[in-house]
Amino acid sequence: MAEKDENKEPAITEITPKSEDFSRWYTDLVRRAELADYSPVKGCMVIRPYGYAIWEFIQRGLDDRIKATGHVNAYFPLFIPKSLLTKEAEHVEGFAPQVAWVTRGGTEELEEPLVVRPTSEAIIGTMYAKWIQSWRDLPVLINQWANIVRWEKVTRLFLRTTEFLWQEGHTAHETAEEAEEETLKILALYKEFVETELAIPVIAGRKSESEKFAGAGRTYSIEALMGDGRALQAGTSHNLGQNFAKAFDIKFQARDKSLQYIWGTSWGMTTRLIGAVIMVHGDESGLVLPPRVAPYQVVIVPIPRGNWRETVLPHARQIRDSLVAAGVRVMLDDRDAYTPGWKFSEWELRGVPLRLEIGPKDIEKQQVMLARRDTREKLPTPVAGLPGRVQELLAAIQQSLFDRALAFQLDHTSRAATWDEFTKTMEGRPGFVVAPWCGDAVCEADIKAATQATIRNLPMEAAAGPGAPCVKCSRPSVSDAWFAKAY
RNA sequence: CGGGGCGUGGCUCAGCCUGGUAGAGCACUCGGUUCGGGACCGAGGGGUCGAAGGUUCAAAUCCUUUCGCCCCGACCA
């Protein structure tokens, strides 16, 4: 048998090449892989079963972690009366341009318009005011899984749609320290989740004043680097201080008998994470899904020969059953209508981490052919001990995806000390550029206007001693900042 | 919301400039041969050209309006 060119990338003609046009590649892929589709509703997408399955794994992984840290789930209304939203001044101002209004019910004008929640601080804060009386009622640690509506002007599948799905945690605490501790605990939880489950390395840090959440005291975020060199905010955790407590009158009687406002936090991650998975791991052949969130971790492609349904298929079924019994998510693609070659390409496009081929030759040798999606390596593997080997490989793929993404991130992170250096480095889509910043919002705005780059966040540990000169204005810096062009 | 581009079977697109009543490839259906990297042969089904209005004997094609989508900016998870 002639040696085949292992590096040959099959042409997926329906998808715009990633190297040619990243945006179109992304959109083509989302649709062709059947993750999501446009709907008749402007700005709203349909999450298709294959995409929703990924969301369900994200939900499960996050929900487990949220509960393991003592939080409980609840559900609050979709509608928020206008008067509630407007209680926190900064909050309304931040969200006013983005809210959808309900002004009629049936044929009657509503006395008070309702907004469709753009986030739930207002409605949840209102309820907390009723529920919290004493320090003994604290902390309140509630999470909600919900849909959110924000009237975005420009939408992109998964990354920004008018309606999206998320989880939002809302907590109330006795002290400022506790609230900060909670905020950071969740930030760390988010980082661990995204890195472990989605194999996406992230930069955790604090948002600048101008980038923080409307109404928050402090916002922290995790930022990931996409394959085109743009950054994506993957999750946020806000320390609300007493802002919302004061606006919504959430008070409790403290241990010293005094009446105090609670200290709040809120935090969320969204269906946007699916977009991040696509843009971080995807390649020219399509999706590459981290095994831990892949709807199918292994696809079995039987090689049809003669009466293969009697000869090959029973073996394939047996292997499937043994893998399923070991807890592996398996798709046995026994469709007649497609050739093996077609199925190889199709499931690569859909990002299945591991392919298992089984044909007459393999059966003779008591083996199967495994093929890794990430490296395209083909591995003849004995049937004996297969489930264990598959689990090892899935773990190895998960790890290698993370390593690869981390290497890419490091490779696309640079430092700039001077303005000249900064502007040169920031040309194109270089990824992260770390540079000292004076802390002045004016400088931040100037930098954005000149280069399109924004401060993604500020490192958690402030540098000791007086900072190097600000990259823009040369005044002493308060901190380094992670700059990038962002989604 | 500003700049640019595009809407023609399910998808990608040709036809439009120079009006004459709709095509290709892929996909789909049926039959057969195939199947270890997107198979082949034969036979079929499917669109009124984003929408509305106008010009004309005649409009996918020309004009006006409108809606939607994509890309780049400003805004955001």
Side-chain angles (χ1 to χ4, degrees):
Chain A
M1 194 197 288
E3 197 65 28
K4 286 200 178 110
D5 183 359
E6 293 285 331
N7 296 321
K8 188 178 75 175
E9 297 254 332
I12 308 292
T13 47
E14 310 102 299
I15 308 245
T16 305
K18 184 183 174 188
S19 50
E20 184 182 298
D21 184 340
F22 193 87
S23 289
R24 282 197 63 179
W25 166 81
Y26 173 81
T27 306
D28 287 351
L29 191 47
V30 167
R31 303 185 70 194
R32 180 61 185 76
E34 298 182 4
L35 297 177
D37 203 354
Y38 295 110
S39 77
V41 190
K42 180 176 160 66
C44 294
M45 66 173 177
V46 175
I47 304 177
R48 301 184 65 177
Y50 196 62
Y52 199 79
I54 298 173
W55 178 238
E56 287 178 310
F57 287 114
I58 291 175
Q59 277 187 306
R60 191 177 306 171
L62 248 183
D63 199 57
D64 286 349
R65 285 168 172 80
I66 288 169
K67 284 173 178 157
T69 45
H71 303 84
V72 289
N73 285 335
Y75 188 78
F76 295 82
L78 168 68
F79 300 118
I80 300 174
K82 180 183 182 181
S83 57
L84 290 189
L85 189 76
T86 51
K87 277 189 175 178
E88 213 286 335
E90 246 182 78
H91 190 58
V92 216
E93 203 188 312
F95 280 104
Q98 289 186 273
V99 294
W101 292 94
V102 177
T103 57
R104 280 173 64 169
T107 53
E108 295 185 13
E109 288 291 317
L110 301 183
E111 215 158 282
E112 180 181 2
L114 304 170
V115 303
V116 182
R117 63 182 160 218
T119 180
S120 301
E121 276 75 7
I123 188 86
I124 293 180
T126 303
M127 298 312 293
Y128 281 9
K130 295 168 92 168
W131 296 340
I132 297 167
Q133 309 294 329
S134 147
W135 65 271
R136 293 176 210 276
D137 297 326
L138 297 173
V140 176
L141 305 172
I142 289 180
N143 176 65
Q144 132 162 306
W145 289 94
N147 58 341
I148 289 295
V149 168
R150 295 183 188 174
W151 219 258
E152 300 287 356
K153 287 169 181 154
V154 178
T155 59
R156 269 159 84 54
L157 294 168
F158 287 116
L159 301 180
R160 183 175 301 105
T161 45
T162 300
E163 180 188 12
F164 59 93
L165 306 181
W166 78 352
Q167 97 6 251
E168 50 178 327
H170 296 268
T171 68
H173 306 267
E174 200 179 340
T175 65
E177 295 69 37
E178 253 184 69
E180 179 68 5
E181 191 185 318
E182 166 81 2
T183 311
L184 293 175
K185 180 196 286 181
I186 296 298
L187 185 73
L189 183 155
Y190 280 171
K191 180 173 161 69
E192 187 275 330
F193 168 79
V194 171
E195 295 191 335
T196 305
E197 303 289 328
L198 307 183
I200 298 173
V202 294
I203 306 295
R206 188 178 155 184
K207 284 288 191 186
S208 66
E209 278 301 299
S210 50
E211 295 275 339
K212 77 175 190 193
F213 174 72
R218 264 183 197 183
T219 289
Y220 297 90
S221 74
I222 52 172
E223 305 280 334
L225 191 61
M226 303 298 103
D228 62 347
R230 291 171 83 176
L232 182 80
Q233 181 171 301
T236 48
S237 185
H238 315 292
N239 183 338
L240 303 176
Q242 292 181 310
N243 293 349
F244 284 88
K246 286 175 180 164
F248 292 93
D249 206 33
I250 315 172
K251 284 184 290 203
F252 68 99
Q253 191 157 22
R255 293 165 205 252
D256 66 1
K257 300 181 186 170
S258 68
L259 213 48
Q260 307 266 344
Y261 287 109
I262 61 98
W263 299 82
T265 81
S266 69
W267 26 275
M269 286 216 281
T270 78
T271 32
R272 165 181 267 196
L273 288 173
I274 297 172
V277 167
I278 300 162
M279 291 194 292
V280 169
H281 301 303
D283 64 19
E284 294 291 359
S285 300
L287 285 181
V288 180
L289 294 175
R292 297 184 67 116
V293 294
Y296 306 122
Q297 297 170 312
V298 175
V299 60
I300 300 177
V301 179
I303 308 300
R305 275 287 160 71
N307 59 338
W308 68 281
R309 288 197 165 269
E310 276 71 52
T311 54
V312 178
L313 194 55
H315 285 88
R317 288 203 173 117
Q318 222 173 336
I319 286 168
R320 176 196 56 195
D321 293 347
S322 73
L323 291 175
V324 168
V328 179
R329 299 191 285 272
V330 185
M331 152 64 84
L332 169 55
D333 190 352
D334 61 358
R335 292 175 292 179
D336 288 303
Y338 302 100
T339 62
W342 187 89
K343 291 176 184 176
F344 296 169
S345 303
E346 179 68 10
W347 290 111
E348 271 171 18
L349 173 77
R350 302 250 248 156
V352 177
L354 211 50
R355 179 177 72 240
L356 188 157
E357 303 166 28
I358 177 162
K361 293 182 224 163
D362 302 301
I363 292 166
E364 232 171 79
K365 289 187 259 181
Q366 292 279 299
Q367 66 166 41
V368 298
M369 187 65 81
L370 293 177
R372 286 177 65 150
R373 175 64 181 87
D374 59 337
T375 59
R376 297 177 160 276
E377 243 178 310
K378 282 207 174 190
L379 310 157
T381 307
V383 171
L386 188 64
R389 181 66 187 133
V390 164
Q391 282 167 325
E392 277 171 30
L393 276 169
L394 290 174
I397 292 168
Q398 182 83 25
Q399 185 62 46
S400 105
L401 288 181
F402 179 82
D403 293 345
R404 197 157 82 179
L406 182 60
F408 180 87
Q409 188 214 86
L410 294 174
D411 202 41
H412 290 79
T413 299
S414 32
R415 249 194 171 278
T418 66
W419 180 237
D420 192 46
E421 206 181 331
F422 186 87
T423 50
K424 280 210 177 74
T425 314
M426 213 25 119
E427 276 168 26
R429 297 260 163 78
F432 291 117
V433 178
V434 184
W437 174 56
C438 62
D440 192 333
V442 174
C443 253
E444 185 183 7
D446 287 348
I447 291 170
K448 184 176 180 182
T451 66
Q452 292 174 26
T454 51
I455 294 179
R456 300 324 303 155
N457 59 32
L458 312 170
M460 302 297 285
E461 299 85 16
C470 171
V471 73
K472 182 71 178 66
C473 68
S474 300
R475 286 177 288 177
S477 63
V478 293
S479 167
D480 272 345
W482 291 80
F483 288 91
K485 292 170 190 170
Y487 275 96

